[in-house]
Amino acid sequence: TRRVASLRLFGGEHSVCRHALRRFECRPDSVRAGRTFVADILEQWGVGPEDPAAPGVDDILLVASELLTNALKACDGDITVELKGHRDRIELSVEDDCPAPAMVRQAGPSDLGGRGLRIVDALTVRWGQRRVTRGCKQVWCEMPVPSGSAGSP
């Protein structure tokens, strides 16, 4: 796991209030490491067991796992995980170096995979993907943060 990380706090009514980013190598253990990174950042932001956002943390971590697993299947180089804390939502994005778009699949009952983006769709307010520099793609999603949560400064 690469130790390139940042954590910043911002001000302004419509700006990103918090930001964290880390790059991981394209390796199977990066899914677990990326999920742990997301959990650690949420804890640093103050989203603990008593926080109003605590019931949604498992959903955020499941979505992170799904996006990281998809990136792992597509990548040759690094995977980047980014969290942005806005006043009313958290945006999670995962970037990989494959220009091919992530595709929603119709998995059959006996298929072992193919449900990740359907899970992301079910657990988030909205999600999408965009091309970023160097032909990479970034899959992102937004999840609401309840008022009064440390996750919504």
Side-chain angles (χ1 to χ4, degrees):
T1 303
R2 291 185 179 226
R3 294 290 172 187
V4 177
S6 66
L7 177 63
R8 297 182 297 205
L9 299 178
F10 297 90
E13 186 176 341
H14 300 289
S15 67
V16 174
C17 298
R18 294 181 171 148
H19 178 257
L21 173 110
R22 181 168 290 165
R23 288 185 177 85
F24 300 90
E25 294 176 11
C26 184
R27 301 175 6 176
D29 63 340
S30 291
V31 174
R32 179 180 39 83
R35 184 177 55 245
T36 300
F37 167 69
V38 171
D40 289 348
I41 292 300
L42 292 174
E43 186 176 321
Q44 287 177 30
W45 289 355
V47 181
E50 303 302 318
D51 190 89
V57 169
D58 286 341
D59 288 348
I60 293 171
L61 297 178
L62 176 57
V63 167
S65 292
E66 295 299 336
L67 294 180
L68 282 156
T69 299
N70 285 353
L72 178 67
K73 291 176 182 177
C75 70
D76 287 319
D78 290 343
I79 299 169
T80 302
V81 177
E82 185 173 24
L83 275 173
K84 294 178 183 177
H86 302 272
R87 298 206 183 283
D88 60 348
R89 69 194 182 285
I90 289 178
E91 180 181 331
L92 167 67
S93 63
V94 176
E95 179 182 322
D96 64 58
D97 60 353
C98 178
M103 304 294 290
V104 177
R105 291 185 33 204
Q106 183 64 41
S110 61
D111 290 342
L112 297 177
R115 294 171 184 83
L117 290 178
R118 292 195 184 280
I119 291 169
V120 170
D121 187 58
L123 295 178
T124 64
V125 173
R126 64 188 191 127
W127 71 275
Q129 53 193 307
R130 55 187 159 244
R131 283 192 177 244
V132 290
T133 59
R134 303 171 319 278
C136 302
K137 73 170 168 298
Q138 184 181 71
V139 182
W140 59 270
C141 62
E142 293 182 351
M143 303 182 83
V145 175
S147 137
S149 169
S152 63

